[in-house]
Amino acid sequence: MGAYISVPTWWQNLDSRYRLTIGECGECGATKFPPEGACINCAAPGSALEPVEPEGTGEIVAHTVIEGGEPPEFSELINTEDAIGAVLIELDEGARVPGMLTDCDPHEFGRGDRVEATVRRIYEQEGVVRYGAKFRPKND
Amino acid sequence: MRDVYVVGAAQSKFGTFPNESYRSLFGSAFESAVESIDGDFDRTEVDEAFIGTLGVGGRQLGLSGPAVTEYVGLDGTPCTRVENACAASGVALRQALTSIRAGVSDIAVAGGVEIMTDMSSEQTRYWLGVSGETEWERMAGTTFAGVYAQMASAHMDEYGTTREHLSRVAAKNHGNGAKNPHAHLGFDCSLEDAMEASTIADPLNLYDCCPTSDGASVAILASREVAEELTNSPVRLTGSGQASGTVGLFQRPTITGIPATEDAAEQAYEEAGVSPEDIDFAEVHDCFSIAELMAYEDLGFCEKGEAGPYIASGATEPDGERPVNLSGGLKSKGHPIGATGTGQCAEVFKQLRGEAGDRQVDGLERGLSHNVGGSGGAVAVHIYEEGWA
């Protein structure tokens, strides 16, 4: 049981799942994650978005620690780690991405802290383990 | 555009009802709304109906609108199901209003219904995760409370909003809901208890979060010509606004407010020819405590960033300058997703007619309702005034 994201749907966005590929609008220069659909800033059609591979580094701009009521696909994770750090990261290239903290106590981190992306197991569905980017603390 | 009036409005009790079906709850709300009409009402004269529901649990995913209107004797009447997550019936209200304004209908029904409490915890979490953005936000482990917690973290950091400011929303709304016989959690909650509750999604605790509820609500709207025959105490819908925002928080330009609320409110104020300071009282979408604080700012009741001091001043208490959520709000009255929007309408209707019982505040002439879908993907705002135009 979980949010149903089929394997084909997951595979459509592997560049963004693994490498956080964002889009840069050819009309106005605004960035967007994931790189699909119309530009949020100027409404140029999605075809105007140029894919850009970011460094994977950025800053936490919103922060929460989930201690209960998690989506069922993450029950195993929360049973193992007690809590999930769910954050919004503003990448150094501009776009904001939602992400999960890893390799740290999520209570110890918050807005303004620097993080970097690393590929981890996200969850398993349809018998297929889904991997994607999580974020760990970065010491500059 | 033609003037439109709410001639009847009511809700079922919100709560946990294992012996009720989504149809029987809707029936209860509909019959109460009919009873609230002053004149002789013939349900066969309803021209059109709009029913909001998310369809939690999947008990009737398709045709869930006609499934409830047939139950109350509106078989044959055009009925459309509206889905905009938690803003479903606020938007259904706007659809009914628009139908009458356009001259398509003279009498239109707006309503909503949800059953949320009869499933396992896993099923409930499965369904409620989908009010946020699924492919990315949810896959980052973010719950629905988590999205609002993220907004709270940013609001607290940016504007100095405190734990106490958040808990004041819970204490106030529980105080109001304790006087509402239709409330799901109709008990008082002290500020201390609200502040010390266990964490759900830091910084939000249990008392920052509304419950999941079963319930239904209905508003019956009419054109001026018809309303003159049906009501002695008219409530006019003077302004309506609706806006969308990105479904995922991460794609929005701001995370300390809900841009769609600002947009919808601006339209509603302009239609009604009023400003925020002209609003006597409001029912706002307090699915989480931070949501009510952001609503104060986005609706223009106070300046951006000032919601914490604004609630601390007592301005939104029942005896304050602008009471908010006299019904108890989503926090205490409950939040059966599809039923919340027209449930807010029912409270405004009762307060303007002096029929709100123990929680009645006297002298109210102009009210506002504010209904949000998801974390701000859809918003409907309505303004109501007592009396004929």
Side-chain angles (χ1 to χ4, degrees):
Chain A
M1 184 58 72
Y4 197 77
I5 298 180
S6 66
V7 167
T9 299
W10 188 268
W11 283 356
Q12 283 160 16
N13 292 300
L14 286 186
D15 288 344
S16 294
R17 294 279 175 203
Y18 296 156
R19 290 176 291 281
L20 298 172
T21 298
I22 62 175
E24 187 174 293
C25 179
E27 300 288 329
C28 75
T31 51
K32 185 179 187 187
F33 178 87
E36 59 184 30
C39 174
I40 293 162
N41 184 52
C42 74
S47 56
L49 292 178
E50 290 294 329
V52 173
E53 192 169 317
E55 290 294 323
T57 52
E59 183 182 309
I60 298 174
V61 295
H63 175 267
T64 185
V65 182
I66 310 294
E67 299 189 22
E70 74 286 349
E73 60 271 25
F74 294 121
S75 292
E76 190 187 327
L77 178 69
I78 213 164
N79 286 341
T80 310
E81 303 195 359
D82 289 335
I84 296 174
V87 292
L88 289 191
I89 307 297
E90 187 157 308
L91 297 174
D92 292 336
E93 291 78 5
R96 286 178 182 160
V97 303
M100 203 183 279
L101 293 176
T102 188
D103 299 7
C104 68
D105 176 354
H107 294 283
E108 299 293 312
F109 289 83
R111 269 168 59 89
D113 287 328
R114 298 275 301 160
V115 292
E116 62 184 358
T118 180
V119 172
R120 291 296 164 88
R121 179 186 190 275
I122 304 293
Y123 76 126
E124 184 178 331
Q125 197 164 50
E126 298 177 324
V128 178
V129 177
R130 318 283 178 94
Y131 293 92
K134 291 190 182 182
F135 292 89
R136 64 186 175 197
K138 177 175 172 56
N139 299 313
D140 286 316
Chain B
M1 290 189 296
R2 305 203 298 169
D3 278 339
V4 177
Y5 297 81
V6 185
V7 296
Q11 64 165 81
S12 71
K13 189 169 174 7
F14 288 177
T16 303
F17 306 113
N19 295 325
E20 297 272 2
S21 70
Y22 70 101
R23 287 170 153 161
S24 65
L25 278 172
F26 182 82
S28 164
F30 185 83
E31 298 309 332
S32 296
V34 169
E35 282 169 27
S36 74
I37 297 174
D38 301 322
D40 293 329
F41 175 73
D42 177 356
R43 68 188 65 197
T44 65
E45 290 180 2
V46 173
D47 296 303
E48 193 159 14
F50 299 91
I51 305 301
T53 185
L54 180 65
V56 168
R59 66 204 73 230
Q60 180 70 44
L61 269 186
L63 298 171
S64 43
V68 296
T69 48
E70 72 173 34
Y71 187 87
V72 297
L74 298 183
D75 185 27
T77 304
C79 179
T80 304
R81 176 263 186 98
V82 178
E83 196 293 293
N84 254 348
C86 320
S89 61
V91 173
L93 179 68
R94 184 173 153 88
Q95 293 297 311
L97 168 73
T98 303
S99 177
I100 297 173
R101 280 176 166 178
V104 173
S105 303
D106 284 312
I107 302 176
V109 166
V113 62
E114 213 76 61
I115 298 265
M116 302 173 73
T117 70
D118 67 348
M119 295 175 295
S120 68
S121 163
E122 178 170 300
Q123 282 275 2
T124 304
R125 286 180 285 131
Y126 167 76
W127 275 93
L128 298 187
V130 297
S131 285
E133 196 275 341
T134 302
E135 276 189 60
W136 300 94
E137 209 163 67
R138 177 173 176 147
M139 288 299 108
T142 320
T143 58
F144 198 33
V147 176
Y148 276 93
Q150 289 178 344
M151 291 194 263
S153 76
H155 202 278
M156 294 169 93
D157 190 49
E158 203 150 311
Y159 299 119
T161 304
T162 65
R163 165 76 269 157
E164 182 179 326
H165 291 147
L166 294 174
S167 293
R168 280 184 180 276
V169 175
K172 170 179 71 69
N173 291 351
H174 270 281
N176 290 340
K179 298 176 190 161
N180 184 349
H182 289 107
H184 182 178
L185 304 177
F187 51 82
D188 279 309
C189 168
S190 71
L191 181 59
E192 292 70 29
D193 285 348
M195 289 177 71
E196 288 165 10
S198 58
T199 301
I200 298 293
D202 181 72
L204 301 184
N205 70 32
L206 182 65
Y207 274 100
D208 291 311
C209 307
C210 71
T212 54
S213 312
D214 306 331
S217 60
V218 166
I220 300 171
L221 275 50
S223 63
R224 167 98 191 216
E225 194 175 49
V226 175
E228 282 177 356
E229 293 173 14
L230 291 178
T231 187
N232 310 318
S233 179
V235 170
R236 186 162 64 106
L237 268 167
T238 57
S240 172
Q242 184 187 342
S244 301
T246 66
V247 176
L249 178 66
F250 58 99
Q251 292 188 328
R252 276 185 224 149
T254 177
I255 56 174
T256 54
I258 294 179
T261 294
E262 292 182 309
D263 294 344
E266 189 180 333
Q267 295 166 34
Y269 289 136
E270 189 178 334
E271 270 193 13
V274 299
S275 314
E277 53 267 31
D278 300 319
I279 302 299
D280 295 335
F281 71 111
E283 287 287 305
V284 310
H285 198 92
D286 60 323
C287 50
F288 299 95
S289 56
I290 185 64
E292 176 162 329
L293 296 184
M294 293 191 300
Y296 295 166
E297 298 173 8
D298 295 334
L299 294 168
F301 295 166
C302 67
E303 295 295 317
K304 194 77 193 155
E306 291 296 314
Y310 185 67
I311 192 169
S313 76
T316 56
E317 297 283 345
D319 59 353
E321 65 172 28
R322 183 179 295 113
V324 172
N325 285 333
L326 288 166
S327 69
L330 283 60
K331 176 69 202 79
S332 169
K333 189 177 71 170
H335 182 30
I337 293 178
T340 285
T342 36
Q344 294 174 321
C345 171
E347 178 69 10
V348 175
F349 175 79
K350 286 179 185 168
Q351 289 285 348
L352 286 176
R353 285 163 53 102
E355 296 170 348
D358 290 345
R359 64 189 188 284
Q360 180 70 45
V361 171
D362 293 330
L364 301 173
E365 294 176 357
R366 185 181 290 114
L368 177 149
S369 64
H370 163 247
N371 191 199
V372 179
S375 66
V379 174
V381 173
H382 286 92
I383 297 172
Y384 315 69
E385 290 180 36
E386 181 209 3
W388 301 108

